[in-house]
Amino acid sequence: MRLVILTQDDPFYLARNIDYLLKKLPPYAEVVATVVFDVSPFGKRESFKDKIKKTYDIFGLPFFVRYGFKYVTSKLDSRNNVRKVLADRGIPLIQVEGAINKDENLEKIRAYKPDLLVSIAGNQIFKRKLLDVATYGCINLHTALLPKYRGLMPSFWVLKNGETHTGVSVFFVDEGIDSGPILVQNKLEIGGMSQAELIDVTKKMGMDAILEAIEKIHSGKYELIENDASQMTYFTFPTSDDVKAFRAAGKRFY
């Protein structure tokens, strides 16, 4: 099975988790190429200066200093570089210009004859032409129990809203947002975890769920779980008021 991974250049969590995924892939699965998007933590493309200002404005000085330091140290450690992890394994990087759905970009991906596209923090909306490039379409990892908590930063919202459990979902991508039928879903008790701890745990869980999904697609033996739109909740990036409510509820970022 020929896989193309669609991901982003996140310096905090993705590199080591993608490395874990690559190590655990079964013999019949091969990553033949990757697309690495620019990182966009707020769900849209912004200048680096705008990202810095927004982080400070929303989360405050202590958070800004802590994650600013973590960002710098992560950038200096090649183990946190998604492109480096992929290059070390000899996996080609597909250079795309602009929106992934442009015909010229689709042709670049199609040249690798993928059986399956695997989106891990893919931060663009995928259109039907892209989804049809691969034989089995595209799967995506979402670190929440769909159909609840569609959208951005579910680790923040499940904590703010006092949920006792969360989890991970791997679903077949359609043209909506986190709306396709679910292939794998695994549940997790939150307990006293901070947001950083929750992200760590669910990212690792997510890699195992992707492996499980690949096996199901390879065998052809699976039953899809309905991603019921009537039960959905959807969240965007938090505001400073949301952050105040998060802290007032006794929740921790780290």
Side-chain angles (χ1 to χ4, degrees), residues 103-135:
D103 287 341
E104 53 265 41
N105 292 331
L106 299 184
E107 284 304 313
K108 292 177 182 179
I109 299 171
R110 193 175 286 115
Y112 287 91
K113 300 179 180 178
D115 296 305
L116 182 68
L117 305 178
V118 180
S119 171
I120 305 171
N123 54 8
Q124 294 193 31
I125 300 296
F126 300 159
K127 300 297 186 182
R128 175 50 53 190
K129 283 186 178 181
L130 171 62
L131 304 179
D132 289 342
V133 164
T135 306

PDB file of all heavy atoms in Angstrom, residues 103-135:
ATOM      1  N   ASP A 103      -4.666  22.187  -9.608  1.00  0.00           N
ATOM      2  CA  ASP A 103      -4.428  21.069 -10.519  1.00  0.00           C
ATOM      3  C   ASP A 103      -2.956  20.694 -10.605  1.00  0.00           C
ATOM      4  O   ASP A 103      -2.613  19.509 -10.633  1.00  0.00           O
ATOM      5  CB  ASP A 103      -4.958  21.397 -11.923  1.00  0.00           C
ATOM      6  CG  ASP A 103      -6.484  21.372 -11.992  1.00  0.00           C
ATOM      7  OD1 ASP A 103      -7.100  20.764 -11.084  1.00  0.00           O
ATOM      8  OD2 ASP A 103      -7.037  21.949 -12.933  1.00  0.00           O
ATOM      9  N   GLU A 104      -2.074  21.689 -10.621  1.00  0.00           N
ATOM     10  CA  GLU A 104      -0.648  21.379 -10.733  1.00  0.00           C
ATOM     11  C   GLU A 104      -0.125  20.651  -9.501  1.00  0.00           C
ATOM     12  O   GLU A 104       0.779  19.801  -9.598  1.00  0.00           O
ATOM     13  CB  GLU A 104       0.169  22.643 -11.008  1.00  0.00           C
ATOM     14  CG  GLU A 104      -0.059  23.784 -10.036  1.00  0.00           C
ATOM     15  CD  GLU A 104      -1.091  24.790 -10.527  1.00  0.00           C
ATOM     16  OE1 GLU A 104      -2.131  24.365 -11.088  1.00  0.00           O
ATOM     17  OE2 GLU A 104      -0.849  26.004 -10.347  1.00  0.00           O
ATOM     18  N   ASN A 105      -0.693  20.963  -8.335  1.00  0.00           N
ATOM     19  CA  ASN A 105      -0.297  20.251  -7.124  1.00  0.00           C
ATOM     20  C   ASN A 105      -0.855  18.826  -7.106  1.00  0.00           C
ATOM     21  O   ASN A 105      -0.178  17.891  -6.675  1.00  0.00           O
ATOM     22  CB  ASN A 105      -0.772  21.008  -5.886  1.00  0.00           C
ATOM     23  CG  ASN A 105      -0.043  22.323  -5.689  1.00  0.00           C
ATOM     24  OD1 ASN A 105       1.115  22.466  -6.080  1.00  0.00           O
ATOM     25  ND2 ASN A 105      -0.709  23.299  -5.101  1.00  0.00           N
ATOM     26  N   LEU A 106      -2.075  18.677  -7.581  1.00  0.00           N
ATOM     27  CA  LEU A 106      -2.666  17.340  -7.652  1.00  0.00           C
ATOM     28  C   LEU A 106      -1.863  16.436  -8.575  1.00  0.00           C
ATOM     29  O   LEU A 106      -1.673  15.249  -8.290  1.00  0.00           O
ATOM     30  CB  LEU A 106      -4.116  17.420  -8.133  1.00  0.00           C
ATOM     31  CG  LEU A 106      -5.083  18.213  -7.261  1.00  0.00           C
ATOM     32  CD1 LEU A 106      -6.490  18.123  -7.824  1.00  0.00           C
ATOM     33  CD2 LEU A 106      -5.053  17.732  -5.823  1.00  0.00           C
ATOM     34  N   GLU A 107      -1.364  17.001  -9.664  1.00  0.00           N
ATOM     35  CA  GLU A 107      -0.555  16.206 -10.595  1.00  0.00           C
ATOM     36  C   GLU A 107       0.734  15.725  -9.934  1.00  0.00           C
ATOM     37  O   GLU A 107       1.192  14.601 -10.173  1.00  0.00           O
ATOM     38  CB  GLU A 107      -0.237  17.022 -11.853  1.00  0.00           C
ATOM     39  CG  GLU A 107      -1.408  17.153 -12.814  1.00  0.00           C
ATOM     40  CD  GLU A 107      -1.967  15.798 -13.237  1.00  0.00           C
ATOM     41  OE1 GLU A 107      -1.163  14.911 -13.595  1.00  0.00           O
ATOM     42  OE2 GLU A 107      -3.198  15.620 -13.163  1.00  0.00           O
ATOM     43  N   LYS A 108       1.327  16.571  -9.097  1.00  0.00           N
ATOM     44  CA  LYS A 108       2.554  16.171  -8.397  1.00  0.00           C
ATOM     45  C   LYS A 108       2.283  14.995  -7.459  1.00  0.00           C
ATOM     46  O   LYS A 108       3.098  14.070  -7.352  1.00  0.00           O
ATOM     47  CB  LYS A 108       3.109  17.356  -7.602  1.00  0.00           C
ATOM     48  CG  LYS A 108       3.649  18.493  -8.456  1.00  0.00           C
ATOM     49  CD  LYS A 108       4.104  19.652  -7.574  1.00  0.00           C
ATOM     50  CE  LYS A 108       4.597  20.829  -8.404  1.00  0.00           C
ATOM     51  NZ  LYS A 108       5.030  21.971  -7.552  1.00  0.00           N
ATOM     52  N   ILE A 109       1.163  15.043  -6.763  1.00  0.00           N
ATOM     53  CA  ILE A 109       0.810  13.947  -5.854  1.00  0.00           C
ATOM     54  C   ILE A 109       0.445  12.697  -6.644  1.00  0.00           C
ATOM     55  O   ILE A 109       0.870  11.582  -6.319  1.00  0.00           O
ATOM     56  CB  ILE A 109      -0.351  14.366  -4.932  1.00  0.00           C
ATOM     57  CG1 ILE A 109       0.066  15.558  -4.079  1.00  0.00           C
ATOM     58  CG2 ILE A 109      -0.800  13.197  -4.050  1.00  0.00           C
ATOM     59  CD1 ILE A 109      -1.069  16.184  -3.293  1.00  0.00           C
ATOM     60  N   ARG A 110      -0.333  12.880  -7.699  1.00  0.00           N
ATOM     61  CA  ARG A 110      -0.785  11.748  -8.520  1.00  0.00           C
ATOM     62  C   ARG A 110       0.393  10.978  -9.111  1.00  0.00           C
ATOM     63  O   ARG A 110       0.309   9.756  -9.312  1.00  0.00           O
ATOM     64  CB  ARG A 110      -1.706  12.269  -9.630  1.00  0.00           C
ATOM     65  CG  ARG A 110      -2.489  11.183 -10.353  1.00  0.00           C
ATOM     66  CD  ARG A 110      -3.453  11.779 -11.354  1.00  0.00           C
ATOM     67  NE  ARG A 110      -4.611  12.395 -10.697  1.00  0.00           N
ATOM     68  CZ  ARG A 110      -4.893  13.688 -10.730  1.00  0.00           C
ATOM     69  NH1 ARG A 110      -4.108  14.539 -11.393  1.00  0.00           N
ATOM     70  NH2 ARG A 110      -5.966  14.156 -10.118  1.00  0.00           N
ATOM     71  N   ALA A 111       1.501  11.665  -9.356  1.00  0.00           N
ATOM     72  CA  ALA A 111       2.679  11.016  -9.947  1.00  0.00           C
ATOM     73  C   ALA A 111       3.229   9.907  -9.056  1.00  0.00           C
ATOM     74  O   ALA A 111       3.919   8.995  -9.546  1.00  0.00           O
ATOM     75  CB  ALA A 111       3.758  12.056 -10.207  1.00  0.00           C
ATOM     76  N   TYR A 112       2.924   9.959  -7.756  1.00  0.00           N
ATOM     77  CA  TYR A 112       3.421   8.920  -6.833  1.00  0.00           C
ATOM     78  C   TYR A 112       2.458   7.740  -6.701  1.00  0.00           C
ATOM     79  O   TYR A 112       2.706   6.814  -5.932  1.00  0.00           O
ATOM     80  CB  TYR A 112       3.696   9.538  -5.458  1.00  0.00           C
ATOM     81  CG  TYR A 112       4.931  10.400  -5.455  1.00  0.00           C
ATOM     82  CD1 TYR A 112       4.849  11.763  -5.719  1.00  0.00           C
ATOM     83  CD2 TYR A 112       6.187   9.847  -5.221  1.00  0.00           C
ATOM     84  CE1 TYR A 112       5.992  12.558  -5.741  1.00  0.00           C
ATOM     85  CE2 TYR A 112       7.329  10.638  -5.242  1.00  0.00           C
ATOM     86  CZ  TYR A 112       7.219  11.989  -5.499  1.00  0.00           C
ATOM     87  OH  TYR A 112       8.362  12.769  -5.527  1.00  0.00           O
ATOM     88  N   LYS A 113       1.346   7.787  -7.433  1.00  0.00           N
ATOM     89  CA  LYS A 113       0.381   6.694  -7.480  1.00  0.00           C
ATOM     90  C   LYS A 113      -0.033   6.213  -6.083  1.00  0.00           C
ATOM     91  O   LYS A 113       0.104   5.030  -5.753  1.00  0.00           O
ATOM     92  CB  LYS A 113       0.938   5.525  -8.301  1.00  0.00           C
ATOM     93  CG  LYS A 113       1.269   5.899  -9.741  1.00  0.00           C
ATOM     94  CD  LYS A 113       1.848   4.734 -10.519  1.00  0.00           C
ATOM     95  CE  LYS A 113       2.162   5.147 -11.942  1.00  0.00           C
ATOM     96  NZ  LYS A 113       2.780   4.041 -12.724  1.00  0.00           N
ATOM     97  N   PRO A 114      -0.537   7.120  -5.256  1.00  0.00           N
ATOM     98  CA  PRO A 114      -0.872   6.722  -3.881  1.00  0.00           C
ATOM     99  C   PRO A 114      -2.123   5.849  -3.814  1.00  0.00           C
ATOM    100  O   PRO A 114      -3.080   6.036  -4.567  1.00  0.00           O
ATOM    101  CB  PRO A 114      -1.117   8.061  -3.189  1.00  0.00           C
ATOM    102  CG  PRO A 114      -1.579   8.973  -4.283  1.00  0.00           C
ATOM    103  CD  PRO A 114      -0.815   8.553  -5.510  1.00  0.00           C
ATOM    104  N   ASP A 115      -2.083   4.898  -2.897  1.00  0.00           N
ATOM    105  CA  ASP A 115      -3.281   4.131  -2.568  1.00  0.00           C
ATOM    106  C   ASP A 115      -4.096   4.836  -1.493  1.00  0.00           C
ATOM    107  O   ASP A 115      -5.313   4.704  -1.449  1.00  0.00           O
ATOM    108  CB  ASP A 115      -2.892   2.729  -2.075  1.00  0.00           C
ATOM    109  CG  ASP A 115      -2.212   1.902  -3.140  1.00  0.00           C
ATOM    110  OD1 ASP A 115      -2.802   1.750  -4.229  1.00  0.00           O
ATOM    111  OD2 ASP A 115      -1.087   1.431  -2.906  1.00  0.00           O
ATOM    112  N   LEU A 116      -3.399   5.575  -0.609  1.00  0.00           N
ATOM    113  CA  LEU A 116      -4.077   6.223   0.508  1.00  0.00           C
ATOM    114  C   LEU A 116      -3.346   7.498   0.886  1.00  0.00           C
ATOM    115  O   LEU A 116      -2.115   7.503   0.988  1.00  0.00           O
ATOM    116  CB  LEU A 116      -4.116   5.277   1.716  1.00  0.00           C
ATOM    117  CG  LEU A 116      -4.821   5.768   2.978  1.00  0.00           C
ATOM    118  CD1 LEU A 116      -6.328   5.900   2.749  1.00  0.00           C
ATOM    119  CD2 LEU A 116      -4.545   4.823   4.158  1.00  0.00           C
ATOM    120  N   LEU A 117      -4.103   8.573   1.097  1.00  0.00           N
ATOM    121  CA  LEU A 117      -3.565   9.805   1.666  1.00  0.00           C
ATOM    122  C   LEU A 117      -3.814   9.778   3.176  1.00  0.00           C
ATOM    123  O   LEU A 117      -4.910   9.409   3.620  1.00  0.00           O
ATOM    124  CB  LEU A 117      -4.245  11.031   1.057  1.00  0.00           C
ATOM    125  CG  LEU A 117      -4.222  11.163  -0.471  1.00  0.00           C
ATOM    126  CD1 LEU A 117      -4.993  12.415  -0.897  1.00  0.00           C
ATOM    127  CD2 LEU A 117      -2.803  11.204  -0.999  1.00  0.00           C
ATOM    128  N   VAL A 118      -2.799  10.172   3.946  1.00  0.00           N
ATOM    129  CA  VAL A 118      -2.908  10.176   5.408  1.00  0.00           C
ATOM    130  C   VAL A 118      -2.654  11.595   5.896  1.00  0.00           C
ATOM    131  O   VAL A 118      -1.537  12.109   5.806  1.00  0.00           O
ATOM    132  CB  VAL A 118      -1.901   9.203   6.049  1.00  0.00           C
ATOM    133  CG1 VAL A 118      -2.042   9.235   7.573  1.00  0.00           C
ATOM    134  CG2 VAL A 118      -2.095   7.789   5.513  1.00  0.00           C
ATOM    135  N   SER A 119      -3.685  12.238   6.403  1.00  0.00           N
ATOM    136  CA  SER A 119      -3.587  13.607   6.895  1.00  0.00           C
ATOM    137  C   SER A 119      -3.347  13.598   8.402  1.00  0.00           C
ATOM    138  O   SER A 119      -4.141  13.043   9.158  1.00  0.00           O
ATOM    139  CB  SER A 119      -4.867  14.383   6.564  1.00  0.00           C
ATOM    140  OG  SER A 119      -4.869  15.643   7.199  1.00  0.00           O
ATOM    141  N   ILE A 120      -2.226  14.212   8.816  1.00  0.00           N
ATOM    142  CA  ILE A 120      -1.895  14.346  10.228  1.00  0.00           C
ATOM    143  C   ILE A 120      -1.663  15.832  10.477  1.00  0.00           C
ATOM    144  O   ILE A 120      -0.630  16.382  10.116  1.00  0.00           O
ATOM    145  CB  ILE A 120      -0.638  13.543  10.601  1.00  0.00           C
ATOM    146  CG1 ILE A 120      -0.803  12.075  10.194  1.00  0.00           C
ATOM    147  CG2 ILE A 120      -0.337  13.661  12.086  1.00  0.00           C
ATOM    148  CD1 ILE A 120       0.468  11.252  10.335  1.00  0.00           C
ATOM    149  N   ALA A 121      -2.655  16.504  11.031  1.00  0.00           N
ATOM    150  CA  ALA A 121      -2.611  17.959  11.206  1.00  0.00           C
ATOM    151  C   ALA A 121      -2.539  18.675   9.863  1.00  0.00           C
ATOM    152  O   ALA A 121      -1.963  19.761   9.769  1.00  0.00           O
ATOM    153  CB  ALA A 121      -1.452  18.381  12.111  1.00  0.00           C
ATOM    154  N   GLY A 122      -3.100  18.079   8.842  1.00  0.00           N
ATOM    155  CA  GLY A 122      -3.230  18.776   7.564  1.00  0.00           C
ATOM    156  C   GLY A 122      -4.111  19.997   7.750  1.00  0.00           C
ATOM    157  O   GLY A 122      -5.221  19.884   8.285  1.00  0.00           O
ATOM    158  N   ASN A 123      -3.635  21.157   7.343  1.00  0.00           N
ATOM    159  CA  ASN A 123      -4.318  22.400   7.720  1.00  0.00           C
ATOM    160  C   ASN A 123      -4.927  23.149   6.543  1.00  0.00           C
ATOM    161  O   ASN A 123      -5.039  24.363   6.562  1.00  0.00           O
ATOM    162  CB  ASN A 123      -3.351  23.314   8.482  1.00  0.00           C
ATOM    163  CG  ASN A 123      -2.069  23.573   7.710  1.00  0.00           C
ATOM    164  OD1 ASN A 123      -1.939  23.196   6.542  1.00  0.00           O
ATOM    165  ND2 ASN A 123      -1.103  24.201   8.356  1.00  0.00           N
ATOM    166  N   GLN A 124      -5.321  22.398   5.521  1.00  0.00           N
ATOM    167  CA  GLN A 124      -6.086  22.985   4.431  1.00  0.00           C
ATOM    168  C   GLN A 124      -7.363  22.167   4.241  1.00  0.00           C
ATOM    169  O   GLN A 124      -7.437  21.007   4.655  1.00  0.00           O
ATOM    170  CB  GLN A 124      -5.271  22.998   3.136  1.00  0.00           C
ATOM    171  CG  GLN A 124      -4.058  23.910   3.168  1.00  0.00           C
ATOM    172  CD  GLN A 124      -3.463  24.136   1.784  1.00  0.00           C
ATOM    173  OE1 GLN A 124      -4.156  24.125   0.765  1.00  0.00           O
ATOM    174  NE2 GLN A 124      -2.161  24.352   1.743  1.00  0.00           N
ATOM    175  N   ILE A 125      -8.372  22.782   3.626  1.00  0.00           N
ATOM    176  CA  ILE A 125      -9.595  22.066   3.283  1.00  0.00           C
ATOM    177  C   ILE A 125      -9.332  21.268   2.015  1.00  0.00           C
ATOM    178  O   ILE A 125      -8.867  21.807   1.009  1.00  0.00           O
ATOM    179  CB  ILE A 125     -10.762  23.044   3.055  1.00  0.00           C
ATOM    180  CG1 ILE A 125     -11.028  23.862   4.323  1.00  0.00           C
ATOM    181  CG2 ILE A 125     -12.018  22.285   2.637  1.00  0.00           C
ATOM    182  CD1 ILE A 125     -11.488  23.054   5.506  1.00  0.00           C
ATOM    183  N   PHE A 126      -9.606  19.978   2.057  1.00  0.00           N
ATOM    184  CA  PHE A 126      -9.349  19.097   0.922  1.00  0.00           C
ATOM    185  C   PHE A 126     -10.610  18.980   0.067  1.00  0.00           C
ATOM    186  O   PHE A 126     -11.673  18.635   0.569  1.00  0.00           O
ATOM    187  CB  PHE A 126      -8.917  17.714   1.395  1.00  0.00           C
ATOM    188  CG  PHE A 126      -7.655  17.708   2.230  1.00  0.00           C
ATOM    189  CD1 PHE A 126      -7.376  16.646   3.078  1.00  0.00           C
ATOM    190  CD2 PHE A 126      -6.743  18.752   2.168  1.00  0.00           C
ATOM    191  CE1 PHE A 126      -6.220  16.623   3.843  1.00  0.00           C
ATOM    192  CE2 PHE A 126      -5.588  18.749   2.932  1.00  0.00           C
ATOM    193  CZ  PHE A 126      -5.323  17.677   3.772  1.00  0.00           C
ATOM    194  N   LYS A 127     -10.455  19.231  -1.227  1.00  0.00           N
ATOM    195  CA  LYS A 127     -11.574  19.151  -2.165  1.00  0.00           C
ATOM    196  C   LYS A 127     -11.632  17.754  -2.797  1.00  0.00           C
ATOM    197  O   LYS A 127     -10.700  16.965  -2.714  1.00  0.00           O
ATOM    198  CB  LYS A 127     -11.443  20.227  -3.238  1.00  0.00           C
ATOM    199  CG  LYS A 127     -11.433  21.653  -2.690  1.00  0.00           C
ATOM    200  CD  LYS A 127     -12.732  21.996  -1.988  1.00  0.00           C
ATOM    201  CE  LYS A 127     -12.770  23.464  -1.562  1.00  0.00           C
ATOM    202  NZ  LYS A 127     -14.005  23.793  -0.835  1.00  0.00           N
ATOM    203  N   ARG A 128     -12.745  17.486  -3.472  1.00  0.00           N
ATOM    204  CA  ARG A 128     -12.997  16.151  -4.017  1.00  0.00           C
ATOM    205  C   ARG A 128     -11.911  15.677  -4.970  1.00  0.00           C
ATOM    206  O   ARG A 128     -11.525  14.506  -4.940  1.00  0.00           O
ATOM    207  CB  ARG A 128     -14.367  16.152  -4.720  1.00  0.00           C
ATOM    208  CG  ARG A 128     -14.736  14.859  -5.443  1.00  0.00           C
ATOM    209  CD  ARG A 128     -14.575  13.617  -4.596  1.00  0.00           C
ATOM    210  NE  ARG A 128     -15.292  13.712  -3.317  1.00  0.00           N
ATOM    211  CZ  ARG A 128     -15.136  12.836  -2.335  1.00  0.00           C
ATOM    212  NH1 ARG A 128     -14.263  11.847  -2.441  1.00  0.00           N
ATOM    213  NH2 ARG A 128     -15.812  12.992  -1.208  1.00  0.00           N
ATOM    214  N   LYS A 129     -11.381  16.578  -5.797  1.00  0.00           N
ATOM    215  CA  LYS A 129     -10.340  16.148  -6.736  1.00  0.00           C
ATOM    216  C   LYS A 129      -9.121  15.591  -6.019  1.00  0.00           C
ATOM    217  O   LYS A 129      -8.493  14.640  -6.485  1.00  0.00           O
ATOM    218  CB  LYS A 129      -9.924  17.325  -7.644  1.00  0.00           C
ATOM    219  CG  LYS A 129     -10.902  17.634  -8.761  1.00  0.00           C
ATOM    220  CD  LYS A 129     -10.322  18.708  -9.684  1.00  0.00           C
ATOM    221  CE  LYS A 129     -11.243  19.007 -10.842  1.00  0.00           C
ATOM    222  NZ  LYS A 129     -10.664  20.042 -11.747  1.00  0.00           N
ATOM    223  N   LEU A 130      -8.766  16.187  -4.890  1.00  0.00           N
ATOM    224  CA  LEU A 130      -7.640  15.669  -4.110  1.00  0.00           C
ATOM    225  C   LEU A 130      -7.991  14.321  -3.501  1.00  0.00           C
ATOM    226  O   LEU A 130      -7.195  13.376  -3.543  1.00  0.00           O
ATOM    227  CB  LEU A 130      -7.251  16.660  -3.016  1.00  0.00           C
ATOM    228  CG  LEU A 130      -6.226  16.157  -1.999  1.00  0.00           C
ATOM    229  CD1 LEU A 130      -4.900  15.827  -2.673  1.00  0.00           C
ATOM    230  CD2 LEU A 130      -6.006  17.181  -0.888  1.00  0.00           C
ATOM    231  N   LEU A 131      -9.167  14.211  -2.917  1.00  0.00           N
ATOM    232  CA  LEU A 131      -9.571  12.966  -2.259  1.00  0.00           C
ATOM    233  C   LEU A 131      -9.621  11.809  -3.239  1.00  0.00           C
ATOM    234  O   LEU A 131      -9.406  10.651  -2.857  1.00  0.00           O
ATOM    235  CB  LEU A 131     -10.940  13.155  -1.595  1.00  0.00           C
ATOM    236  CG  LEU A 131     -11.043  14.304  -0.587  1.00  0.00           C
ATOM    237  CD1 LEU A 131     -12.455  14.392  -0.035  1.00  0.00           C
ATOM    238  CD2 LEU A 131     -10.029  14.139   0.539  1.00  0.00           C
ATOM    239  N   ASP A 132      -9.870  12.115  -4.510  1.00  0.00           N
ATOM    240  CA  ASP A 132      -9.958  11.074  -5.534  1.00  0.00           C
ATOM    241  C   ASP A 132      -8.602  10.687  -6.119  1.00  0.00           C
ATOM    242  O   ASP A 132      -8.526   9.777  -6.939  1.00  0.00           O
ATOM    243  CB  ASP A 132     -10.887  11.524  -6.664  1.00  0.00           C
ATOM    244  CG  ASP A 132     -12.353  11.543  -6.236  1.00  0.00           C
ATOM    245  OD1 ASP A 132     -12.682  10.908  -5.213  1.00  0.00           O
ATOM    246  OD2 ASP A 132     -13.162  12.199  -6.919  1.00  0.00           O
ATOM    247  N   VAL A 133      -7.546  11.373  -5.721  1.00  0.00           N
ATOM    248  CA  VAL A 133      -6.211  11.055  -6.247  1.00  0.00           C
ATOM    249  C   VAL A 133      -5.768   9.659  -5.813  1.00  0.00           C
ATOM    250  O   VAL A 133      -5.119   8.936  -6.575  1.00  0.00           O
ATOM    251  CB  VAL A 133      -5.181  12.122  -5.790  1.00  0.00           C
ATOM    252  CG1 VAL A 133      -3.758  11.631  -5.972  1.00  0.00           C
ATOM    253  CG2 VAL A 133      -5.394  13.412  -6.557  1.00  0.00           C
ATOM    254  N   ALA A 134      -6.111   9.274  -4.584  1.00  0.00           N
ATOM    255  CA  ALA A 134      -5.681   7.984  -4.039  1.00  0.00           C
ATOM    256  C   ALA A 134      -6.808   6.952  -4.143  1.00  0.00           C
ATOM    257  O   ALA A 134      -7.990   7.288  -4.030  1.00  0.00           O
ATOM    258  CB  ALA A 134      -5.256   8.144  -2.581  1.00  0.00           C
ATOM    259  N   THR A 135      -6.428   5.710  -4.336  1.00  0.00           N
ATOM    260  CA  THR A 135      -7.390   4.622  -4.535  1.00  0.00           C
ATOM    261  C   THR A 135      -8.417   4.553  -3.409  1.00  0.00           C
ATOM    262  O   THR A 135      -9.618   4.421  -3.657  1.00  0.00           O
ATOM    263  CB  THR A 135      -6.644   3.278  -4.618  1.00  0.00           C
ATOM    264  OG1 THR A 135      -5.640   3.363  -5.615  1.00  0.00           O
ATOM    265  CG2 THR A 135      -7.598   2.140  -4.937  1.00  0.00           C
TER     266      THR A 135
END
